[in-house]
Amino acid sequence: MHKVLIVDDDVDLTAMLCRYLRHESFDAHAVHSGETGVAEALTGQYSIVVMDIMMPGLPGTEALRRIRATSRIPVLMLTARGDNVDRIVGLDMGADDYVPKPCTPGELVARIRAILRRVEGRDLPSSPGPKVLQAGGLVLWPGTRRAGWQGQDLELTGTEFSLLEVLARHAGQLVSKQEISQQAFGKPLAPYDRRIDVHISSIRQKLGQRSDGQSWIQSVRGRGYQLLED
């Protein structure tokens, strides 16, 4: 089992990510300061470090510099700003990849697996399910987060991909919004949270309408959503 170190001062976020990573067969541990992150990363116990750039005290860039002084452990950098300067600085200092916040747990796991495959030169256990997921005219490649619809590339955001992947895995079945939130985001759906509805609306527009004028994603009020296969 690969051990993941998460270094981020956001306690709620790291707790959620640890739960999701454990569900995906990783051993995850979180610390909340750059100083502690450097010390943990250099113990040799971890396969990869996921580290926030913006932290009080010792920032992620300086923590990365200290790690790189003595270790080549893979490091995936996170930032809330999505600033290209942060990305360039992090990669120049030896980061293996960079993910802007907010990102979905599914996207983060896919990036972690991709880095570890490159480092180790072999495949890791994939998420439950096939490497290619197909439901009618929809084809998803979870490992690379790529999507196709009726023979054409389908451009999705990371969140849209995660939501559509959940529906595709249960194609033809009604999936509650609570289940969608747990499987796509790794956390329960908060009261009055409308993000799923907003993103589903965007996905519907990208898929277009069926020949009968109905949406490919059906909703049952108060219950959830269902992806139709034909």
Side-chain angles (χ1 to χ4, degrees):
M1 181 180 292
H2 289 267
K3 192 168 184 178
V4 180
L5 174 65
I6 302 176
V7 186
D8 195 311
D9 62 310
D10 188 330
V11 176
D12 291 336
L13 174 66
T14 57
M16 181 270 289
L17 291 177
C18 282
R19 288 195 300 270
Y20 191 88
L21 284 162
R22 289 165 188 152
H23 178 72
E24 293 290 319
S25 301
F26 289 94
D27 182 4
H29 176 65
V31 297
H32 307 295
S33 72
E35 293 88 347
T36 307
V38 172
E40 283 291 311
L42 296 178
T43 61
Q45 300 179 32
Y46 299 92
S47 301
I48 189 170
V49 178
V50 177
M51 184 160 56
D52 189 21
I53 285 181
M54 300 296 292
M55 288 185 290
L58 187 71
T61 48
E62 176 59 19
L64 174 62
R65 188 191 67 78
R66 296 186 186 184
I67 291 170
R68 279 291 170 262
T70 57
S71 173
R72 296 305 304 168
I73 183 173
V75 178
L76 174 64
M77 302 297 288
L78 300 174
T79 179
R81 293 187 298 177
D83 192 327
N84 283 337
V85 173
D86 283 341
R87 179 178 185 275
I88 293 168
V89 169
L91 294 177
D92 282 349
M93 293 178 65
D96 293 84
D97 203 352
Y98 166 97
V99 178
K101 290 181 178 178
C103 65
T104 65
E107 179 181 4
L108 185 64
V109 167
R111 295 289 188 98
I112 289 172
R113 285 197 168 103
I115 291 171
L116 292 175
R117 281 197 296 269
R118 293 199 303 265
V119 170
E120 299 180 352
R122 61 179 178 82
D123 286 338
L124 295 172
S126 59
S127 300
K131 292 183 179 179
V132 177
L133 183 62
Q134 185 162 6
L138 176 68
V139 183
L140 301 177
W141 291 266
T144 57
R145 312 284 289 176
R146 187 163 64 88
W149 174 242
Q150 296 181 340
Q152 302 293 322
D153 288 340
L154 179 63
E155 295 296 329
L156 299 171
T157 67
T159 298
E160 290 169 355
F161 187 97
S162 296
L163 292 173
L164 193 53
E165 181 181 0
V166 173
L167 294 179
R169 292 187 185 280
H170 303 278
Q173 305 172 34
L174 181 67
V175 187
S176 72
K177 288 199 283 187
Q178 192 63 248
E179 289 179 278
I180 293 172
S181 181
Q182 286 283 7
Q183 294 182 39
F185 307 133
K187 61 180 180 180
L189 183 69
Y192 311 111
D193 189 338
R194 302 285 296 175
R195 287 181 302 162
I196 290 177
D197 303 308
V198 172
H199 289 298
I200 292 292
S201 176
S202 175
I203 296 171
R204 280 172 163 165
Q205 292 181 19
K206 293 179 180 182
L207 297 181
Q209 293 184 337
R210 292 157 42 92
S211 59
D212 60 5
Q214 299 297 308
S215 170
W216 286 97
I217 300 178
Q218 298 289 303
S219 61
V220 178
R221 186 175 180 83
R223 295 185 62 192
Y225 291 99
Q226 174 184 3
L227 176 66
L228 302 181
E229 296 183 86
D230 52 33

